[in-house]
Amino acid sequence: MIKTIRPLHHPSPESITVTGILHALSDPVRISIVAELRKAEGGLNCIETTSRLQFSMPKSTCSQHYRILRESGLIYSERRGVELTSRVRRKELDSRFPGLLDAILKAWRKEQEG
Amino acid sequence: MIKTIRPLHHPSPESITVTGILHALSDPVRISIVAELRKAEGGLNCIETTSRLQFSMPKSTCSQHYRILRESGLIYSERRGVELTSRVRRKELDSRFPGLLDAILKAWRKEQEG
């Protein structure tokens, strides 16, 4: 059996929607992943992210969260060896919806800090 | 049969969550309702909102959207006769998560304007 590598889908900046972003970030695990990725300039793979967040979850669950984030346009993923490294599409997001991600992550931090 | 009026549940400001807000606004109809309610100082009931938005939907669907918005802490509803009039909980939201709702609605407007 030949194992093919599925291409990764990244929406174009114009097809990123507000409701898509809100849906992707409406899950506590996913918003935490994005907050963590945003701090890491070079990007992070699933193992690195869950380790930094001290989350315990199967890699498949993490991959699924990454997929939802990627399809919403929030993150960009690329293969490095067998791992997928992802980063926040900061420039494109800031250009399409200035201030949106900042405001959401600021509110999230405030809530986390109690 | 005695018909009882169910009490309306409004979460306290401290129990409003970012992910709850994002989930409530991740639906195009609900974010449109909130954008419309925010413009109307005195509040609007379902019929008024759908008429302003020129949306055609059963009243029960609108009521369900209102319920999700209310339970997320985004709107405050009160009975006026047989209708429920709702308004955005602007002060409480601005105090709990400064700038969050503004940034989301600004991005939504930008997307709508193309």
Side-chain angles (χ1 to χ4, degrees), chain B residues 35-51:
Chain B
E36 203 54 45
L37 288 180
R38 199 143 159 287
K39 287 189 267 174
E41 282 297 329
L44 297 171
N45 64 35
C46 263
I47 297 164
E48 292 162 338
T49 308
T50 48
S51 144

Side-chain angles (χ1 to χ4, degrees), chain B:
Chain B
M1 193 180 76
I2 298 167
K3 205 174 171 188
T4 53
I5 295 174
R6 274 182 302 171
L8 298 170
H9 175 63
H10 295 100
S12 66
E14 315 81 60
S15 59
I16 297 174
T17 65
V18 174
T19 50
I21 289 175
L22 302 186
H23 169 72
L25 295 175
S26 70
D27 178 277
V29 174
R30 284 197 297 272
I31 195 170
S32 305
I33 292 174
V34 171
E36 203 54 45
L37 288 180
R38 199 143 159 287
K39 287 189 267 174
E41 282 297 329
L44 297 171
N45 64 35
C46 263
I47 297 164
E48 292 162 338
T49 308
T50 48
S51 144
R52 288 195 188 200
L53 288 168
Q54 298 182 295
F55 280 169
S56 160
M57 65 177 138
K59 207 188 146 195
S60 60
T61 306
C62 181
S63 299
Q64 201 163 359
H65 285 310
Y66 264 49
R67 183 181 55 74
I68 294 170
L69 292 170
R70 185 165 57 245
E71 290 177 354
S72 77
L74 277 160
I75 67 171
Y76 184 87
S77 309
E78 56 188 339
R79 297 188 198 281
R80 289 193 196 154
V82 291
E83 297 295 337
L84 268 189
T85 292
S86 300
R87 58 166 180 78
V88 173
R89 293 173 67 177
R90 199 188 281 233
K91 257 194 186 168
E92 290 138 301
L93 289 166
D94 279 348
S95 146
R96 176 127 171 84
F97 299 122
L100 178 62
L101 187 60
D102 280 343
I104 293 173
L105 293 181
K106 192 181 145 201
W108 172 249
R109 269 197 310 275
K110 186 168 186 276
E111 184 183 328
Q112 294 310 100
E113 287 160 6

